[in-house]
Amino acid sequence: MKYKVFFIRYVQSTPDLFGNVVPVDGTDVLKSVIINDFRKRKELSFINPRNGKIYYRHYAIMPQGGLAVIDVGKYEDGNFVYASVAINLSRNQYQPYIVIGCHHSGFSDINLIADMVTQSLNWALNDSNIAVKLVACNKSIAWEKDIVHTYLNGMESRMFNPMNAFGFELIEEHFEALGKNPNKHRKSANFDDYLPRAKRQEIKAWLHNETDQYMYPVDMMRAIRVLYELNIIKKPTYEAFVREFGKEHLIAVSTYNSYMNLNNNPYENDTAYEEIKAYVKEKF
């Protein structure tokens, strides 16, 4: 079987007033698209953009833990000739990505299949002003291990809701209820409250320098995760982070929490992350 990995990039469907492409974080919206397709609320359509031929699909792995695997193909002489499309939105180790694996020589044009997947997802995202682009991954990543890890985590989540929306519906309801409890202590939305008083301004100025310029979560989260990992700062809430850095349209709360979860390792073999960590150890 041959395969190819593509990273998912999210942008606004329409450019801004100056014609610029605007990056956004569409992970949560894309999760809803997959859930709606699985539950047959709004189904995905896989159509060859070159000749209009319609392809069939079924789920090899149901949506759970941020992962879904869809087999897309056609029937030839009674046999289902297909390619597997693994969609991993969990951010356990890497930014959202899709792996396309071809099982049959008669259906092995990976770039064509990628175009079909992109087209299908963007049709489903049409009402959200979000579009996806698939960018080929040109480095070696341990996607097999990551998918297995994501799948196992998803299986654990199913105890809360067997036909889940990526495994977190009841947990979210629980925390929403806690948030409505007037006696429950709320964490501060003031970013300064999470920084050590003695070096607060110095750390904040450095963080802005390392964060403001970036538009994608994988880049904007490096510096703040390093500080948290090294126990230099407390973990800011999502609200505190986006208020301070103005990133509310560029990163979703689930994405932020995934990057700040020290049980995840999104920067494995990331040279830039290691360089920042070495600098911070000396600086702060």
Side-chain angles (χ1 to χ4, degrees), residues 24 45 49 61-62 79 107 113 124 136 150 154 169 184 213 272 284:
V24 294
S45 299
I61 296 179
M62 64 177 286
N79 297 314
F107 190 46
I113 298 167
T150 303
E169 287 173 335
K184 179 68 178 178
Q213 60 186 307
F284 303 114

Side-chain angles (χ1 to χ4, degrees), residues 259-276:
Y259 274 101
M260 293 298 283
N261 184 348
L262 298 183
N263 291 321
N264 295 339
N265 192 12
Y267 294 110
E268 184 178 22
N269 300 322
D270 188 300
T271 303
Y273 187 80
E274 295 304 321
E275 289 176 352
I276 291 174

Side-chain angles (χ1 to χ4, degrees), residues 95-106:
Q95 65 193 77
Y97 63 89
I98 289 176
V99 182
I100 298 175
C102 297
H103 302 271
H104 306 274
S105 59

